[in-house]
Amino acid sequence: MTTYEEVIDPDARSGRWDNGELTWEFPAESVLSQVFWTPEDASGNGDFSQETNWEPEMVPTNTVVTFFDRDGAATVSFSGTQESARTVIERGEVTFSDGHHNVVADDAQPGVVVGNATMDSATLILSSHLLTSASGAIGYGVDTIGNVNVSGSGTEWLMSGPLTVGDEGSGTLILDQEGRITCSEFILGKTAASSAIVQMSEGSSLETGMLSVGVAAETSIVIDESSLTSGLG
């Protein structure tokens, strides 16, 4: 498991979480705490709002960064609306099921990150779930692999800001079975070291204010009986 350290700089009026590779900057007036998903159930499954599923034990709020860093698969169930400051999928396969997860961070760093730790693979599956955030990044860290699957009628990821597929790593986004994404900008293959793959099928849709293709060596979009709409006013 990655160890994160809280660093506070009173002179700079800022705080950050630093894992030795990436730095997360936060306002000093709202220094954030962090929790890791460590469910009681050996299967890895559990309810987001159950404090004993987190280490340290607490129910995440809008000032808490939630990390998922474990081998294998886990299903996280939501009842009603649950909040966090940020959500980071470091490793493993995590399914968000039912309910609504609202990620409140609204600054230069992505609110939802899938694929953050070097050489690790992370997957986020949304199933009958509403995820809302200011922004998102799939394959965020250097040499990471990030995968997101938005699947099923009523399953949505709504962003007021940008979604990046392939930031410094490899990102894959799959939308199917009427899954839906909305974002202000859809960025594919942001850097030369990244790659981006997008597959849309079975009535899925992606609506964005702007479609941007970066300098990645590999960028692929496959659209089958689905819609990608750019330039929304």
Side-chain angles (χ1 to χ4, degrees):
M1 177 181 292
T2 306
T3 299
Y4 288 76
E5 178 184 1
E6 182 180 2
V7 182
I8 306 300
D9 181 352
D11 296 327
R13 300 290 297 165
S14 68
R16 70 180 186 271
W17 298 110
D18 192 344
N19 68 354
E21 299 169 359
L22 299 174
T23 300
W24 302 78
E25 297 291 348
F26 302 115
E29 62 272 17
S30 179
V31 176
L32 305 179
S33 54
Q34 60 177 347
V35 291
F36 286 87
W37 181 252
T38 55
E40 294 179 300
D41 193 318
S43 68
N45 303 334
D47 195 304
F48 186 92
S49 62
Q50 179 63 47
E51 64 181 18
T52 54
N53 287 331
W54 298 97
E55 177 59 42
E57 290 189 3
M58 64 187 299
V59 178
T61 66
N62 60 9
T63 61
V64 176
V65 182
T66 56
F67 287 94
F68 298 84
D69 182 7
R70 51 178 292 124
D71 292 324
T75 296
V76 183
S77 301
F78 292 78
S79 1
T81 297
Q82 302 290 332
E83 290 192 328
S84 68
R86 299 183 195 276
T87 288
V88 181
I89 315 296
E90 290 272 348
R91 185 165 51 104
E93 179 183 294
V94 180
T95 298
F96 285 175
S97 177
D98 303 321
H100 173 207
H101 183 30
N102 182 42
V103 180
V104 303
D106 184 13
D107 53 30
Q109 302 290 351
V112 176
V113 171
V114 183
N116 183 48
T118 298
M119 302 304 293
D120 276 338
S121 176
T123 297
L124 174 62
I125 299 171
L126 305 184
S127 176
S128 300
H129 180 76
L130 171 61
L131 175 61
T132 53
S133 63
S135 57
I138 306 169
Y140 183 63
V142 176
D143 291 330
T144 59
I145 299 173
N147 307 286
V148 170
N149 188 326
V150 180
S151 179
S153 177
T155 300
E156 298 179 293
W157 186 3
L158 308 181
M159 284 156 280
S160 57
L163 171 61
T164 302
V165 181
D167 193 306
E168 295 279 354
S170 299
T172 297
L173 172 64
I174 298 175
L175 289 90
D176 58 16
Q177 300 177 24
E178 301 182 19
R180 177 172 175 252
I181 284 180
T182 300
C183 55
S184 68
E185 184 178 5
F186 189 44
I187 304 168
L188 302 176
K190 187 174 181 179
T191 64
S194 67
S195 66
I197 298 174
V198 179
Q199 298 176 357
M200 302 176 60
S201 63
E202 301 179 71
S204 61
S205 65
L206 192 152
E207 299 174 353
T208 182
M210 181 184 299
L211 174 61
S212 302
V213 180
V215 294
E218 179 186 357
T219 301
S220 170
I221 303 178
V222 177
I223 303 174
D224 181 17
E225 297 182 352
S226 302
S227 66
L228 193 160
T229 305
S230 178
L232 301 180

